[in-house]
Amino acid sequence: MHPLEPFKFCPKCGSIHFEINNIKSKKCNDCGFVYYFNSSAAVAIFLVDQQERLMVARRAHEPAKGTLDLPGGFVDMYETAEEAVVREVKEETGLSLNKVEYLFSVPNIYTYSNFDVHTLDLFFEAGIHNGNQHHAADDVSEILFLKKEEINPEDFGLDSIKKAISRWLRK
């Protein structure tokens, strides 16, 4: 199925003559508008404490409820990826970050309400101090700290996170 199949009407003029143009777009045969289905930006972060343990979160909601995850989420409109990862960490853990470092990106398909959202997940890293107060909130049911040897990528529920964890462990 074409990723834009669920979109039946032109977002510009409302016409029902909104048809598949190519693998990544639909075109309105009435007004000529072409809508390109681009990836949504998402962020996640590797937070490492002074004992070199990774902070991981347990997902409180679907998709992949109950599995491990990294703190993160979608980038809001008018927000940089750096701002988004700082905001998401604050929302999910209560931690305030001052400095984050970009690592790499991984494409992903995130299923939300039975709809596949194509994302580009941007991964960051930051250190945290043991005295920092943290708590599980928002989309997180639990926060854990794991030593590298305790981390199994298969315990993480989202494909891009599994790939990122594997890549991070190899460095």
Side-chain angles (χ1 to χ4, degrees):
M1 179 171 83
H2 193 277
L4 288 171
E5 185 61 35
F7 297 94
K8 303 295 184 193
F9 302 96
C10 173
K12 185 174 179 186
C13 74
S15 170
I16 62 168
H17 302 117
F18 191 49
E19 299 176 4
I20 294 171
N21 187 47
N22 59 35
I23 189 67
K24 62 181 181 178
S25 69
K26 284 185 98 173
K27 182 177 181 178
C28 179
N29 290 331
D30 289 337
C31 74
F33 178 73
V34 178
Y35 179 78
Y36 290 92
F37 190 54
N38 296 311
S39 294
S40 294
V43 293
I45 190 163
F46 293 91
L47 294 170
V48 181
D49 72 4
Q50 291 173 315
Q51 282 85 36
E52 298 185 11
R53 299 176 303 169
L54 179 66
M55 176 189 275
V56 297
R58 190 166 308 282
R59 295 182 61 82
H61 307 291
E62 294 296 347
K65 180 180 178 179
T67 63
L68 297 182
D69 200 357
L70 295 173
F74 284 96
V75 178
D76 289 342
M77 291 185 296
Y78 312 111
E79 184 176 55
T80 68
E82 293 83 359
E83 291 167 340
V85 77
V86 168
R87 174 185 51 77
E88 287 287 348
V89 166
K90 182 73 171 171
E91 289 173 3
E92 294 181 354
T93 72
L95 290 173
S96 295
L97 299 178
N98 294 324
K99 183 180 176 188
V100 298
E101 181 181 333
Y102 174 76
L103 296 178
F104 54 83
S105 62
V106 177
N108 190 35
I109 297 177
Y110 181 86
T111 303
Y112 177 75
S113 294
N114 295 319
F115 180 76
D116 288 341
V117 178
H118 292 253
T119 67
L120 180 61
D121 297 351
L122 307 167
F123 290 88
F124 293 84
E125 186 172 43
I128 56 173
H129 298 289
N130 293 347
N132 290 1
Q133 296 295 319
H134 62 275
H135 59 275
D138 195 34
D139 297 332
V140 173
S141 65
E142 179 183 18
I143 292 174
L144 306 162
F145 285 87
L146 301 176
K147 296 176 185 174
K148 279 192 173 185
E149 59 271 11
E150 298 173 325
I151 299 170
N152 178 358
E154 292 306 311
D155 293 338
F156 293 78
L158 303 175
D159 287 339
S160 65
I161 302 295
K162 288 178 187 181
K163 290 175 186 173
I165 290 286
S166 293
R167 184 171 172 178
W168 184 78
L169 288 171
R170 287 193 305 268
K171 76 172 191 151

